[in-house]
């Protein structure tokens, strides 16, 4: 696939600007890719501090994160809440997950259908607890919705859902009323590709949103900028 211009998109995350690579999903569509595991330790500190500031008033008992890219954020948030244990929802059918609770997921970055799995041994950690669900990016909303369903099936109360970035707005429809649980640290659009040039799809930009949402308060207005790389 031919190179895309520009190479990166600048996005504000918790008050700092980061240049994310623009990656083609097809010959007509592209996204700005956040690879949390490549962002470094200081980025984890920034995200952890900002997430806890957003959700401190909810006083969660435990944090649930989704593999793989949601794990670092879940750990950092747990650490700052002073919580020793956390629960990770898996996507790979490992041998110890044969009896896991399962929900279907469709990811924008991987394509096709996946499954989100909750180890039954973790149910005891969640039952009757106030849970904060954490992920790296909420895009289609499928992964976040599946995580929330699994947590509720385990008998827990979902008090909040956090993501580092919201991508577009399709996730609102997938989550329905649960969209009001979501709070993010930044927003990125999706991109249309014309003659090798990536142009933000106006329908997915932050300013295209309609209606009020807990996810986009006064302290969460993030405007992206271009970088030629």
């Amino acid at each position: 696939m031919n190179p895309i211009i520009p190479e990166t998109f600048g996005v504000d995350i918790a008050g700092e600007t980061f240049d994310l690579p623009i990656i083609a999903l097809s010959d007509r569509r592209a996204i700005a890719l956040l690879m949390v595991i490549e962002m470094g330790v200081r980025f984890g500190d920034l995200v952890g501090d900002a997430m806890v500031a957003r959700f401190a008033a909810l006083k969660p008992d435990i944090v649930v994160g989704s593999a793989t890219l949601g794990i670092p954020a879940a750990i950092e948030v747990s650490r700052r809440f002073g919580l020793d244990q956390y629960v990770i929802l898996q996507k790979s059918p490992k041998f110890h997950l044969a009896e896991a609770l399962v929900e279907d997921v469709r990811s924008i970055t991987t394509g096709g259908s996946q499954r989100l799995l909750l180890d039954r041994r973790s149910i005891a950690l969640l039952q009757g607890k106030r849970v904060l669900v954490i992920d790296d990016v909420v895009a289609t909303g499928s992964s976040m919705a599946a995580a929330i369903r699994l947590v509720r099936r385990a008998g827990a109360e979902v008090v909040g859902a956090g993501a580092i970035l919201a991508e577009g707005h399709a996730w609102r429809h997938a989550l329905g009323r649960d969209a009001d649980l979501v709070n993010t640290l930044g927003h990125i659009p999706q991109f249309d590709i014309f003659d090798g040039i990536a142009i933000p799809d106006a329908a997915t930009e932050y300013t295209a949103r309609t209606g009020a949402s807990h996810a986009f308060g006064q302290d969460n207005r993030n405007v992206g900028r271009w970088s030629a790389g």
Side-chain angles (χ1 to χ4, degrees):
M1 192 169 292
N2 294 327
I4 299 174
I5 299 173
E7 297 178 0
T8 63
F9 182 77
V11 61
D12 183 303
I13 300 176
E16 293 194 26
T17 300
F18 296 88
D19 291 326
L20 304 182
I22 297 178
I23 305 296
L25 297 178
S26 68
D27 59 351
R28 295 185 177 182
R29 201 70 166 169
I31 61 170
L33 183 64
L34 174 67
M35 288 295 290
V36 177
I37 56 177
E38 298 176 359
M39 297 296 287
V41 173
R42 193 179 71 81
F43 183 78
D45 288 337
L46 175 72
V47 167
D49 290 343
M51 285 279 192
V52 169
R54 298 288 175 92
F55 293 106
L58 299 180
K59 298 180 179 179
D61 298 313
I62 193 166
V63 174
V64 171
S66 295
T68 299
L69 297 180
I71 295 176
I75 292 174
E76 294 298 339
V77 172
S78 297
R79 189 196 315 276
R80 284 159 178 76
F81 271 123
L83 303 173
D84 180 53
Q85 292 184 306
Y86 50 85
V87 172
I88 300 301
L89 305 177
Q90 302 288 343
K91 291 181 180 176
S92 300
K94 299 177 175 61
F95 71 92
H96 67 285
L97 297 173
E99 302 298 324
L101 299 183
V102 179
E103 290 285 345
D104 291 331
V105 173
R106 187 174 183 86
S107 170
I108 193 171
T109 53
T110 57
S113 297
Q114 291 183 313
R115 297 189 304 165
L116 207 57
L117 303 96
L118 171 62
D119 189 341
R120 286 185 181 272
R121 292 174 297 180
S122 296
I123 292 177
L125 296 174
L126 300 177
Q127 197 165 31
K129 300 297 179 61
R130 295 169 57 82
V131 173
L132 175 61
V133 176
I134 295 292
D135 211 341
D136 60 329
V137 177
V138 55
T140 66
S142 178
S143 182
M144 184 70 78
I148 291 173
R149 290 195 301 270
L150 281 175
V151 169
R152 287 174 175 159
R153 286 174 61 186
E157 176 189 4
V158 179
V159 296
I164 300 172
L165 292 175
E167 180 180 300
H169 306 283
W171 57 272
R172 295 174 181 274
H173 301 291
L175 288 171
R177 292 183 179 180
D178 287 334
D180 288 338
L181 295 171
V182 179
N183 203 315
T184 69
L185 305 182
H187 182 91
I188 50 176
Q190 294 176 3
F191 301 84
D192 291 318
I193 302 175
F194 296 101
D195 296 326
I197 300 174
I199 300 174
D201 178 353
T204 67
E205 290 187 288
Y206 171 75
T207 53
R209 72 184 181 91
T210 58
S213 170
H214 176 69
F216 292 93
Q218 289 295 318
D219 59 345
N220 197 28
R221 292 176 293 182
N222 297 289
V223 180
R225 64 175 177 81
W226 294 99
S227 174

